[in-house]
Amino acid sequence: MTLRPTVDFLLHDWLHVETLQQRERFADHSRETFDAVLDTCERIAREKYAPFNRLVDTQEPHFDGEKVILPQATHDAQKAYAESGMLSAAQDYEVGGMQLPYTVEAAANAFFAMASVSIGSGMLTTGNANLLMAHGTDAQKRVFALNEFSGRFSGTMCLSEPQAGSSLSDVTTRAVPDGADFESDPLGPRYRLKGNKMWISAGEHELTENIIHLVLAKIPDDSGKLVPGTRGISLFIVPKKMVNSQGELTGERNDVALAGLNHKCGWRGTTNTLLNFGEGKYPVPSTGSGRTGEGAIGYLVGQPGKGLHCMFHMMNEARIGVGLAATMLGMAGYHASLDYAKNRPQGRPMGPAGKDPAQPPVRIIEHADVKRMLLAQKSYCEGALALELFCARLVDEQHTAAAAEADDARLLLEVLTPIAKSWPSEWCLEANSLAIQIHGGYGYTRDFPVEQYWRDNRLNMIHEGTHGIQAMDLLGRKVLMEGGKGLSLLAARINATIERAIQIPEFAPHANALGQALAQVGAATKAAWATGEPTDALANAVPYLQAFGHMVLAWVWLDVALAARAAPESNARTGRLAAMRFFFHYELPKVGAWLQVVSRRDQTCAELPEDAF
């Protein structure tokens, strides 16, 4: 079983990605160019990533006192990915890009995530460079972003600190102007940074010539104090190695030092670091160029105090990327457990007189409960992949559609991004758990890959905004923004699918069930905010997120099923229609239970005193 037929169906039969060729930006593309990209990525993933997934899990990054050591396979995979052009796939031809639709780029990257999610850190480099293309100066784009797109440099995002994980208002890394002429540096206003950053993926390695850190820090006020809250946060480019205005390494090391490697449950192929900025391990001396202070050199991106505004450009991309990674880890486990179930003999069927021990054992895929676990995985993972590709299509609409349609896509994406990040992180992790269960005791050993998929996937409910943060973002901001227009647009899309499906007798019950779920979510949204008190509304934001996500996935599955029904008879068609039915019969009914506590503004959890735990 391979991923490609599912990808092809979603791209062409469901999303009709070829219609994007009518847009000027994508006019040079065709089904052939899209297929060529997918073919290349599928091959690289098969040859350079998949064979080494276990290797990078067991041979963790280590520091030899001077540099971080990674397996040669990681170096080879990084090189192959950069040479494929995928780092700059969506960029303009003028800067070496392919002007590839993001929908196709996301689909192509799915092959790498499924083959070995932790070997590559291209998502961070691309997101870093994309941010600079949106908010950087011409020099910053030329020196930093373009070298990242080529694979010569790599990138990170440095937000969290040891004392401030998700609470970015509490960051204490500070940035002060470096010299009287700090504003005249050709690479941007020059500052000196001091502070610590925690959980920095790909923060130290030898995979590229340079590492470009995007760092959130606060500029002190006139009294030398840091401004409370997020208003004082600015964004800085802090290269590991100093460069000149042509992007050439100067031979100087910037004052960015590895304080330690974090030893993780999973995702071990990517370094995860604690970095010290400006501690003096690699002092950058004052020179005739006007540098006078101490600390790591950083160049301001955008305006002072607007760092989070810039960083959210990267964070939203990263959230879709995390959702896709979670999806493909679930998919990898599903494929592995399906193969195991087809080949593992165990048990005998129950007949009218019970089991006949004289009969040979049957393969476990013949047992109804194993089919249930396989169908659950299929519905979670293929549904999540459809969601992620739909969100990627919205990105393309936002960037290339007419003004009104582009704005609608922007709002839909605002509402769906918390779901795109969080739903696969929870339910494709559950798929990994079911994959282990199907393997039985073998699944709990390192002799089979499914335990690694679960460990790798467990991170995704935590990073790029925890489950609780995504929930508060959805209920506390996204469904309310611009007078609830984004939620109304989503409801209109859902109702359009319902109207199509209700005309088909076998789909009509599912269409009605989806309509009821949509009404329940709408009523619960209003009930949660009935008092106008955020503490009342948000106490049960996570159950709201879960219900909202299940409603969205039911819609996605019904829409996919409409496309599947129009396809010729095949095993794939039968499987997609069964997965849709499973989701409506086994999963969508959960929505009502989740929304009960939301609608009642239940305070059972919020009001329990600490000492009662």
Side-chain angles (χ1 to χ4, degrees):
M1 182 178 183
T2 66
L3 176 65
R4 184 63 178 272
T6 301
V7 169
D8 284 343
F9 170 82
L10 292 174
L11 287 179
H12 300 291
D13 296 81
W14 183 52
L15 291 174
H16 304 291
V17 73
E18 66 278 358
T19 60
L20 288 172
Q21 297 157 213
Q22 300 166 14
R23 310 273 170 86
E24 182 180 357
R25 181 169 183 80
F26 308 128
D28 292 340
H29 284 290
S30 64
R31 173 72 184 259
E32 288 71 30
T33 62
F34 294 160
D35 283 349
V37 169
L38 296 176
D39 290 344
T40 298
C41 292
E42 189 176 18
R43 177 184 55 80
I44 295 172
R46 183 176 62 249
E47 295 175 357
K48 300 292 186 181
Y49 283 66
F52 307 105
N53 190 47
R54 177 61 79 182
L55 174 74
V56 298
D57 184 62
T58 56
Q59 294 185 18
E60 292 187 64
H62 65 277
F63 184 56
D64 69 358
E66 294 184 6
K67 58 182 181 291
V68 171
I69 307 299
L70 290 165
Q72 182 60 43
T74 304
H75 290 261
D76 295 341
Q78 165 83 16
K79 184 172 183 285
Y81 187 81
E83 289 177 349
S84 75
M86 285 302 294
L87 288 167
S88 60
Q91 296 301 308
D92 295 345
Y93 295 136
E94 289 74 15
V95 297
M98 305 181 200
Q99 292 187 194
L100 192 70
Y102 181 57
T103 313
V104 180
E105 179 187 356
N109 279 323
F111 293 109
F112 299 105
M114 186 170 173
S116 182
V117 74
S118 72
I119 282 184
S121 54
M123 176 184 77
L124 288 169
T125 296
T126 300
N128 180 308
N130 285 345
L131 182 152
L132 293 176
M133 294 300 287
H135 300 286
T137 66
D138 288 343
Q140 289 171 348
K141 295 174 188 177
R142 183 183 69 254
V143 171
F144 299 112
L146 296 191
N147 278 309
E148 290 182 84
F149 285 136
S150 73
R152 183 179 167 223
F153 297 169
S154 57
T156 73
M157 54 192 296
C158 300
L159 289 78
S160 298
E161 298 179 2
Q163 83 293 341
S166 301
S167 182
L168 295 178
S169 61
D170 296 321
V171 299
T172 58
T173 298
R174 59 174 55 219
V176 297
D178 184 33
D181 66 343
F182 76 100
E183 292 183 301
S184 63
D185 194 295
L187 294 179
R190 189 181 63 249
Y191 286 74
R192 294 277 186 159
L193 277 71
K194 292 186 177 181
N196 317 100
K197 291 294 178 177
M198 186 61 160
W199 313 119
I200 309 307
S201 292
E204 180 59 41
H205 54 72
E206 302 294 323
L207 295 170
T208 53
E209 284 185 42
N210 206 354
I211 302 174
I212 309 305
H213 303 290
L214 285 178
V215 183
L216 291 182
K218 291 185 175 182
I219 301 171
D221 60 18
D222 293 340
S223 68
K225 295 181 179 179
L226 299 182
V227 178
T230 60
R231 290 181 298 110
I233 296 177
S234 301
L235 181 64
F236 300 88
I237 298 167
V238 184
K240 173 184 172 181
K241 298 174 183 178
M242 301 301 294
V243 298
N244 62 24
S245 60
Q246 303 305 309
E248 300 164 332
L249 301 184
T250 65
E252 288 182 293
R253 174 76 184 259
N254 202 359
D255 197 6
V256 183
L258 177 68
L261 293 171
N262 295 310
H263 301 285
K264 300 171 291 179
C265 170
W267 211 302
R268 294 174 177 170
T270 301
T271 58
N272 190 269
T273 61
L274 169 60
L275 298 178
N276 291 343
F277 292 84
E279 70 169 3
K281 183 171 183 178
Y282 303 105
V284 185
S286 302
T287 68
S289 63
R291 300 193 314 226
T292 60
E294 295 179 346
I297 296 286
Y299 306 101
L300 182 69
V301 179
Q303 299 299 312
K306 300 294 185 181
L308 274 184
H309 170 73
C310 296
M311 187 61 89
F312 269 110
H313 187 282
M314 183 176 183
M315 290 168 68
N316 283 333
E317 284 185 28
R319 285 170 177 170
I320 294 174
V322 166
L324 185 61
T327 298
M328 301 321 298
L329 282 163
M331 193 79 78
Y334 166 53
H335 283 206
S337 62
L338 177 59
D339 180 69
Y340 184 85
K342 286 180 175 180
N343 291 284
R344 170 67 168 169
Q346 191 80 205
R348 292 164 178 82
M350 183 72 71
K355 295 181 181 180
D356 182 358
Q359 293 297 316
V362 298
R363 296 167 304 136
I364 62 173
I365 197 170
E366 298 182 41
H367 300 307
D369 192 55
V370 173
K371 289 184 178 181
R372 176 190 63 83
M373 291 187 282
L374 288 169
L375 204 46
Q377 291 180 73
K378 183 179 179 69
S379 73
Y380 298 156
C381 301
E382 292 186 11
L385 179 58
L387 171 65
E388 299 303 323
L389 294 180
F390 177 78
C391 288
R393 177 65 191 256
L394 289 178
V395 172
D396 287 324
E397 295 297 321
Q398 183 181 352
H399 291 159
T400 64
E405 289 81 2
D407 195 56
D408 285 353
R410 173 189 64 82
L411 273 170
L412 274 170
L413 201 55
E414 289 280 7
V415 172
L416 288 175
T417 295
I419 304 302
K421 190 273 176 187
S422 65
W423 198 92
S425 298
E426 179 173 5
W427 294 99
C428 294
L429 179 69
E430 173 61 17
N432 288 135
S433 182
L434 291 171
I436 293 172
Q437 189 71 21
I438 286 172
H439 280 74
Y442 291 110
Y444 199 62
T445 71
R446 296 183 185 179
D447 297 319
F448 288 82
V450 287
E451 60 85 25
Q452 182 185 342
Y453 297 143
W454 187 95
R455 286 189 288 107
D456 286 345
N457 215 349
R458 189 58 188 86
L459 173 63
N460 290 314
M461 285 180 70
I462 300 171
H463 70 159
E464 304 309 331
T466 65
H467 227 48
I469 288 172
Q470 300 298 328
M472 289 189 288
D473 183 43
L474 178 66
L475 181 55
R477 194 166 73 89
K478 295 297 179 64
V479 298
L480 305 177
M481 66 188 299
E482 300 185 30
K485 186 179 177 183
L487 184 56
S488 296
L489 285 169
L490 177 61
R493 295 285 185 106
I494 294 172
N495 280 320
T497 299
I498 290 172
E499 288 175 11
R500 291 167 58 211
I502 209 165
Q503 308 300 321
I504 301 168
E506 64 265 34
F507 285 1
H510 307 314
N512 286 322
L514 179 57
Q516 291 169 10
L518 176 61
Q520 287 177 303
V521 167
T525 306
K526 293 177 181 178
W529 285 103
T531 66
E533 292 292 334
T535 52
D536 289 347
L538 300 179
N540 295 292
V542 167
Y544 179 85
L545 176 79
Q546 291 170 314
F548 198 105
H550 262 50
M551 175 197 70
V552 167
L553 264 292
W555 163 56
V556 166
W557 263 120
L558 189 58
D559 210 71
V560 166
L562 287 166
R565 184 178 181 272
E569 287 284 349
S570 67
N571 289 332
R573 178 184 185 274
T574 301
R576 291 183 184 112
L577 295 178
M580 180 274 290
R581 291 195 303 274
F582 175 92
F583 200 87
F584 274 84
H585 294 167
Y586 287 76
E587 296 293 332
L588 190 60
K590 297 174 182 176
V591 166
W594 281 320
L595 291 178
Q596 281 186 13
V597 292
V598 178
S599 297
R600 294 199 306 259
R601 299 180 298 282
D602 193 296
Q603 299 296 303
T604 299
C605 301
E607 293 179 349
L608 187 65
E610 178 182 330
D611 292 341
F613 283 97

